[in-house]
Amino acid sequence: MPESPPSATTTLCPSCAEPLDPGDRFCEHCGADVQAPPPAAAPPSGGGSPSGAGDAGPAAATGPAGAGATGPAAAPPSGADGDGARPRTDAAGADAGAAAGGYPAGGEAAAGDGPATDSFLLAPPQGQGQGQAQPQGDGDTLALGVPLPATKLSDPREEEPETAPEAETVCVACGLGGVDADGYCEHCGHAQPRQRDHQEQELEGVAAVSDRGLRHHRNEDAFALSTASLPDGSPAVAAVVCDGVSTAYRPDDASAAASAAGGESLLAALERGAPADEAMRGALLAAFEAVSALAEEEPAPDGAAHHNAPACTCVSAVVTGPVFTVGWIGDSRAYWIPDDRTQPSARLTEDDSWAARMVAAGLMTEAEAYADERAHAITGWLGADAVEVDPHVAAFQPESPGVIVVCTDGLWNYAESAAEMAAAVPRDARTRPLHSARTLVGVALDGGGHDNVTVAVLPFPAAVSRAGFPPDQATDGPGGAVNGL
Amino acid sequence: MARISKSNVPQFSVDIYQNEFLPEGGREVNAIVTVTSTGGGTSGGQPLPGPAFAAEGAPPSAGVVIMVDCSGSMEYPPTKMRNARDATAVAIDTIRDGVAFAVVAGTHQAREVYPANGGLAVADPTTRAQAKQALRKLTAGGGTAIGTWLRLADRLLASADVAIRHGILLTDGRNEHEKPEDLKATLDACTGRFTCDARGVGTDWEVKELTAIASAMLGSVDIVADPAGLAADFQAMMENAMGKEVADVSLRLWTPQGSEIAFVKQVAPTVEDLSGRRVEAGPRAGDYPTGSWGDESRDYHVSVRVPSAGVGQEMLAARLSLVLPQPDGTVEVLSQGLVRAVWTDDMAASTRINPQVAHYTGQAELAQVIQQGLEARKSGDMDGATAKLGRAVQLASASGNEDTAKLLAKVVDVVDAASGTVRLKARVADADEMTLETRSTKTVRVKK
């Protein structure tokens, strides 16, 4: 991941590492353009707090002011800050990102008084690909960032890089060393950004963003998006989001395998004409099998015998015609956020977690349970040593348009209740799902980014038939679902 | 002809055992590196026509010089000289055909015994018989200046174009006829030119002196308290030497900018601090010599200090490779491994100590407290000796180092091994104390 230059108070030229004066546009030593992005991608900045969050946004409110100073923040070398391409010499950025390393938390946002911006941008804006990030290899060093459709770069202040980056040759942390075959800098030893550190994808009717967060060294979340045609010709849109269990072995492989297998199974079943709930149940079991297979593939290395078998959570949502179906195992969640915010939003899933069990059993209040350190211990997961696999499936038939937010706890830790989540979701989420997913990841990063964050946003109804909803009716959550199963 | 055999070219593998997770602000990364070479000639004692032991007619590629102490003290008791002669004869019998060899008699000066022509003889039935014949002329008389023996061995080995150069040194007394500085200068000159095992006969030699010689020469050291045991020991040593397939292998450590090596220790089969032997090998890289390798496995403890980084960061703390110098000045990389550092706020992950690291940290401490305990005992500090040797008993017991535990039990009465409660024995045989001191660095591997 990127790291600020070694000095905490002086910014250094990304090319020759000579100190720069604040306000310098070019290095006095080597003449390099210090405002141009360095030749490798950095993960995204946290950006500002989303405008849609307004006063309720947990980002600015809970983002510790100290996060910028003590956390792994760094001045974004990529010019991808929410405030546009900020040069490295920007004093505020340098101060906020004083500590070495880490994702930029958005200098001003971390200080708590940053201007709210409405964009959360990747850097550098390289992509010519249309709409989706294609994985370029497992765990490979990613030097070019995630390809983005140029049209998504809505911030006019964003500067295009003036020079073509020298792909995969220079360390993003020190700017001096080359990158070795193992993905480490040959000079300072820092690990380079990997493919999975930040991923985005957008399909017709669904978008998702996954980010490593600020405190974890790799992204153990994964997602899969897919669309298909039902036998009657209507579209089906699905998102699968998985969160690898860190205390298990190879959690990143587990989530990747589960999301891929789940997404594939789900769409295949729907294309065959299976009912959505059945397809969903089958998809969760397919994901389970894929994760279990990992355990047989390769035993944990010697000395790691105490490690658990690969495991992950899984949550999936699929929109089929007037209905959408949610399935999950573990503590990743789905929320319903109606367009009309006067109507209630709802959490659609019940965690398989210690806290949820305590609350369900009436032993603790929700507040008490979630304050407990065991709160996040999950009681259901996908993996070879899962005690029992009990896929939960529920179907919903909202009567007004909105979006389904499917996410890992890396997001909902910062917007736990349905109301909080609704406050964080931009009002134009249904028409700009990718933007919304980015904004929500930004909320999590501004809140501290303590875990990997993955968010998928599915507009409902699916793209084709967006009209015809009576404005005064809405679902009121799982209990009131028209078709809750 | 169908035959089952391993490759003649040794294969090196590197396994890294570490907890890569550091707490916020953590700077110390520890890793145990297990280096295993397979395909050498020590497998079952079967001679393999490997690169070191070329086929008949081809020039030899290994040379061995046996240095036998012939100082006056070897005559008391007279069996000592006879046993040394017999042991040397057994060792000569163990030399494989085609290996170059010589025998040197050591006193206050060094004298060639066989082939006595300023060079090495190539082993075959005839030369082996001639060499054994020449041993009969060995008589005891004179002083002890080990440095001169090593210099002669170096000259003899240098006279032949061999890849593997090894010495076997047998002595029964202190290095009395040479200044310590002279011996040190000799060791500095010979280090890296050949490897050498050292054996002390009886109890009149100095453990530290001989240990220093073997250590500098990347060889083993041991005590042969009873001269009658010499022949078996010589045979084992020679077989071990014959099994060496690759010489001059170095452990190369690359560390990134801002990181530094705190120490590099061999921790199995014996504890040996290599930190001071670093030879710079390019930017931020250093080589630590490991000598010759046959079919064997050794463990190293590498400790690196890295610059502190924020939670969520990952870096390479060290890249570790085994390198073999090539005639053209480059090196062949035999195998490599990575030592990583990952900063996390997960206390469970960052506080976990890797079992291998914990084990070898204990074994290194075991060697240290034995040496300190024996030192305290010699200087009359009985409380200090009891405390140190008690700790040694505790460590040996906890780690399953039974050989060392047995040796300790000859020096102290063990009251409770688990708590390290011991009483010093009133009378301890010199041989037992010297055996404990000599073998204090022997370690055991992690219990599975």
Side-chain angles (χ1 to χ4, degrees):
Chain A
M1 70 190 285
E3 187 185 46
S4 66
S7 161
T9 51
T10 322
T11 45
L12 298 181
C13 171
S15 173
C16 69
E18 285 294 312
L20 296 172
D21 291 326
D24 273 359
R25 295 195 56 177
F26 296 91
C27 174
E28 290 183 9
H29 184 73
C30 71
D33 180 356
V34 298
Q35 294 190 328
S45 86
S49 44
S51 59
D55 50 0
T62 61
T70 61
S78 57
D81 193 273
D83 296 331
R86 182 186 308 186
R88 279 183 161 207
T89 47
D90 183 302
D95 289 343
Y103 284 69
E108 291 161 13
D113 59 358
T117 62
D118 63 353
S119 78
F120 170 70
L121 293 172
L122 263 194
Q126 280 303 310
Q128 300 89 26
Q130 199 44 267
Q132 51 183 291
Q134 293 298 340
Q136 292 166 349
D138 287 340
D140 283 347
T141 298
L142 175 69
L144 286 178
V146 177
L148 273 184
T151 55
K152 292 293 176 189
L153 295 167
S154 56
D155 190 333
R157 293 165 294 185
E158 182 71 20
E159 288 177 8
E160 290 292 328
E162 291 173 14
T163 52
E166 302 163 44
E168 307 202 37
T169 52
V170 179
C171 171
V172 301
C174 68
L176 294 174
V179 177
D180 65 28
D182 297 301
Y184 297 97
C185 173
E186 288 169 340
H187 179 77
C188 72
H190 273 272
Q192 303 299 300
R194 296 179 172 103
Q195 179 72 43
R196 282 182 69 177
D197 284 358
H198 185 93
Q199 291 188 294
E200 303 195 355
Q201 191 181 2
E202 185 173 31
L203 299 180
E204 186 66 35
V206 58
V209 177
S210 181
D211 193 277
R212 193 179 67 173
L214 304 179
R215 309 282 280 179
H216 282 213
H217 73 286
R218 67 177 168 194
N219 190 355
E220 294 164 359
D221 285 358
F223 66 82
L225 305 183
S226 45
T227 59
S229 290
L230 299 177
D232 66 3
S234 63
V237 181
V240 183
V241 168
C242 296
D243 180 357
V245 176
S246 295
T247 53
Y249 175 56
R250 293 171 68 192
D252 48 339
D253 290 341
S255 60
S259 57
E264 211 167 283
S265 161
L266 183 59
L267 268 294
L270 290 172
E271 279 175 344
R272 282 197 308 271
D277 58 328
E278 218 171 83
M280 182 61 78
R281 213 169 266 116
L284 288 167
L285 291 173
F288 165 71
E289 278 162 24
V291 179
S292 300
L294 290 179
E296 294 155 21
E297 219 169 75
E298 183 194 337
D302 188 51
H306 57 283
H307 278 231
N308 299 319
C312 67
T313 72
C314 186
V315 59
S316 174
V318 59
V319 179
T320 49
V323 176
F324 72 85
T325 308
V326 174
W328 74 98
I329 291 177
D331 68 349
S332 295
R333 291 184 176 179
Y335 290 85
W336 166 251
I337 312 293
D339 273 5
D340 179 358
R341 299 295 166 86
T342 61
Q343 297 186 2
S345 48
R347 172 152 67 85
L348 307 175
T349 52
E350 286 292 341
D351 298 344
D352 286 322
S353 73
W354 183 89
R357 280 203 172 182
M358 287 298 118
V359 175
L363 296 174
M364 290 175 124
T365 67
E366 195 156 293
E368 284 169 352
Y370 281 98
D372 194 285
E373 61 178 14
R374 291 164 291 185
H376 285 265
I378 56 174
T379 55
W381 62 89
L382 303 177
D385 47 14
V387 193
E388 55 171 339
V389 179
D390 178 19
H392 316 291
V393 176
F396 304 91
Q397 193 171 0
E399 295 176 353
S400 66
V403 293
I404 305 140
V405 174
V406 181
C407 63
T408 59
D409 60 349
L411 171 62
W412 67 252
N413 277 333
Y414 303 104
E416 200 276 323
S417 71
E420 284 171 315
M421 186 62 76
V425 173
R427 299 203 168 251
D428 58 357
R430 193 160 60 85
T431 51
R432 300 174 68 196
L434 179 59
H435 164 78
S436 301
R438 287 180 188 156
T439 303
L440 291 169
V441 168
V443 166
L445 296 181
D446 284 352
H450 280 81
D451 201 349
N452 307 143
V453 195
T454 302
V455 185
V457 176
L458 292 94
F460 180 88
V464 189
S465 52
R466 274 184 188 158
F469 280 93
D472 58 344
Q473 292 178 25
T475 176
D476 58 354
V482 173
N483 198 20
L485 297 179
Chain B
M1 183 178 78
R3 54 182 284 208
I4 298 164
S5 77
K6 292 201 261 183
S7 160
N8 292 331
V9 182
Q11 299 289 313
F12 281 82
S13 66
V14 169
D15 292 301
I16 309 268
Y17 302 94
Q18 67 159 145
N19 177 16
E20 65 270 35
F21 293 106
L22 298 177
E24 191 153 17
R27 295 193 54 196
E28 188 180 316
V29 183
N30 284 288
I32 297 297
V33 181
T34 297
V35 179
T36 307
S37 108
T38 53
T42 42
S43 47
Q46 296 300 311
L48 289 173
F53 307 104
E56 214 173 317
S61 56
V64 179
V65 173
I66 305 171
M67 292 158 268
V68 187
D69 190 343
C70 292
S71 60
S73 58
M74 288 293 285
E75 210 57 86
Y76 306 100
T79 51
K80 211 195 268 177
M81 194 67 233
R82 197 167 66 233
N83 281 312
R85 262 199 303 266
D86 292 349
T88 308
V90 170
I92 289 169
D93 279 335
T94 315
I95 300 174
R96 283 192 204 136
D97 283 357
V99 171
F101 77 103
V103 180
V104 167
T107 55
H108 53 284
Q109 57 192 11
R111 183 172 61 84
E112 292 179 58
V113 175
Y114 182 83
N117 60 2
L120 303 173
V122 176
D124 62 33
T126 312
T127 54
R128 276 195 292 263
Q130 288 170 348
K132 283 188 281 186
Q133 191 69 29
L135 290 178
R136 296 191 184 176
K137 289 181 271 178
L138 286 185
T139 52
T144 306
I146 294 174
T148 63
W149 314 354
L150 293 169
R151 284 195 185 269
L152 177 58
D154 184 33
R155 273 203 304 281
L156 293 173
L157 287 165
S159 72
D161 179 24
V162 289
I164 292 182
R165 298 169 304 280
H166 189 70
I168 290 178
L169 187 154
L170 175 75
T171 185
D172 79 324
R174 294 183 180 82
N175 195 42
E176 286 168 326
H177 300 87
E178 184 178 42
K179 289 184 195 135
E181 308 89 84
D182 291 345
L183 176 60
K184 181 163 186 317
T186 301
L187 290 176
D188 289 345
C190 293
T191 294
R193 293 179 55 84
F194 66 102
T195 55
C196 184
D197 292 326
R199 291 294 181 269
V201 192
T203 55
D204 295 327
W205 51 282
E206 186 64 49
V207 175
K208 284 195 179 58
E209 196 171 84
L210 212 52
T211 303
I213 292 171
S215 170
M217 302 302 294
L218 302 175
S220 67
V221 61
D222 203 358
I223 179 172
V224 186
D226 179 1
L230 258 184
D233 189 51
F234 258 50
Q235 183 170 8
M237 241 190 311
M238 187 59 86
E239 274 174 1
N240 187 43
M242 293 292 98
K244 301 298 184 187
E245 290 272 320
V246 187
D248 303 326
V249 175
S250 284
L251 188 65
R252 174 167 294 181
L253 279 175
W254 176 90
T255 44
Q257 184 74 18
S259 297
E260 57 186 40
I261 304 285
F263 61 79
V264 179
K265 282 180 197 164
Q266 177 185 289
V267 288
T270 57
V271 178
E272 188 78 65
D273 196 333
L274 306 179
S275 308
R277 301 186 185 174
R278 180 181 173 105
V279 179
E280 293 303 319
R284 296 183 298 281
D287 284 354
Y288 300 83
T290 67
S292 310
W293 288 72
D295 250 16
E296 60 188 299
S297 178
R298 304 181 201 169
D299 292 348
Y300 299 88
H301 184 168
V302 176
S303 183
V304 186
R305 280 178 68 77
V306 294
S308 179
V311 164
Q313 298 263 348
E314 176 184 344
M315 69 179 284
L316 187 60
R319 175 187 298 279
L320 188 150
S321 43
L322 280 172
V323 296
L324 182 62
Q326 299 294 302
D328 62 1
T330 61
V331 294
E332 180 189 351
V333 176
L334 301 168
S335 186
Q336 62 171 331
L338 307 178
V339 178
R340 300 189 308 137
V342 176
W343 284 265
T344 179
D345 51 8
D346 179 355
M347 289 290 283
S350 62
T351 55
R352 196 187 305 136
I353 298 176
N354 179 280
Q356 300 266 353
V357 172
H359 173 78
Y360 283 124
T361 303
Q363 294 290 291
E365 187 191 347
L366 173 59
Q368 192 185 21
V369 292
I370 289 175
Q371 286 157 17
Q372 290 171 341
L374 291 176
E375 197 64 43
R377 189 174 170 279
K378 276 179 203 155
S379 65
D381 174 10
M382 293 308 162
D383 288 347
T386 307
K388 293 290 183 187
L389 293 174
R391 173 67 177 151
V393 165
Q394 187 181 31
L395 286 165
S397 160
S399 64
N401 194 335
E402 284 170 23
D403 288 344
T404 301
K406 277 181 201 154
L407 296 176
L408 279 164
K410 290 181 179 171
V411 178
V412 295
D413 287 317
V414 179
V415 178
D416 178 28
S419 66
T421 312
V422 300
R423 276 192 300 270
L424 295 185
K425 280 187 191 293
R427 296 175 62 86
V428 175
D430 286 348
D432 289 336
E433 189 176 335
M434 285 178 73
T435 306
L436 177 60
E437 188 177 355
T438 310
R439 297 182 183 168
S440 61
T441 57
K442 281 204 165 40
T443 59
V444 293
R445 294 214 135 111
V446 179
K447 283 183 282 190
K448 293 291 178 192

